[in-house]
Amino acid sequence: AVGFFDVVRVSLQYLIDQMDPDGPVQQNRVVNDMAPLLEAKMDLIIPDLLFTPDMEEIAPDSDIPEDSAEGVVGAWIKAFMDTATLMKRLDDPECDYMTALLQNGTLATLKARVISLARESVGRCRNYRDTVYMPYATLYREDREAYMERFLVYGPPPELDDLDESDSEADLEMEPKEPTLDDFDAEISKYRKVAQDVSNLPSFVSFTWVRLDLRQVKQKMLVVINQWADMFIEHLTDDVRLKLSE
């Protein structure tokens, strides 16, 4: 059993070394641009930002989905442990060494450490999504046509900074106000700036052993943002054509 124990111990320690954000391997990965253990992607599937493999938080008492990032790590651990089934015990040919490995306290501690580090990095991926990309959620969740209808009647919505905390809902009812060309220009400039901000976001980010590929989500976000700007440009173009035809 000692040989199987050493195989599993070394394999689990390898994962720990790769996943530990404060370990020497991580420092070398940054300096030498080492390949990650897992390549993951984030994509915009309206109305959600989704990861592949899945990285959503898993309830403590729930089974870990096989197609999740934690499930991938679990499969690695299982593969290490399954080496104990390759040979029958010499003292009992009907059994293998799996039971002995499962009961080993050292391996149990190492497995718990691997799972903890995996969840830490997965949580950092979710936090990146929530802090960097979720602030743009209204762009792909709000109805553009409904927004334009309100804009044409009431003009641009007030900025949050312009609202007083004492304003009641009744006070915020807006008076009809036809938008000016400056209002249209401000809207178009706003979305062009947002598009530039998204373009400047990194296409890849790494969290120790995980590297997130963000190229697809950036591309889809830019398509959505440009649709907002184009909506205002097309309205002005159509308005000019209509006036010229009169």
Side-chain angles (χ1 to χ4, degrees), residues 3 19 33 45 72 117 122 155 157 190 198-199 211 237 245:
M19 294 179 173
D33 194 26
I45 309 296
V72 171
L117 289 171
V122 169
K190 176 179 71 176
V198 172
S199 295
R211 183 166 70 174
T237 302
S245 65

Side-chain angles (χ1 to χ4, degrees), residues 1 6 11 13-14 17 30 32 42 70 80 91 97-98 115 121 126-127 176 187 203 216-217 227 230 236 239-240 246:
D6 287 340
S11 299
Q13 187 61 54
Y14 172 81
D17 293 341
V30 174
N32 300 320
M42 186 166 71
E70 292 182 39
F80 299 155
D91 57 348
Y97 292 93
M98 179 63 79
I115 293 171
S121 294
R126 289 197 303 269
N127 183 67
E187 290 290 309
S203 295
Q216 195 162 13
V217 70
Q227 287 173 341
D230 291 345
L236 289 177
D239 188 57
V240 170
E246 292 177 352

Side-chain angles (χ1 to χ4, degrees), residues 7-20:
V7 168
V8 177
R9 177 184 59 78
V10 170
S11 299
L12 292 173
Q13 187 61 54
Y14 172 81
L15 290 183
I16 291 172
D17 293 341
Q18 294 289 322
M19 294 179 173
D20 189 348

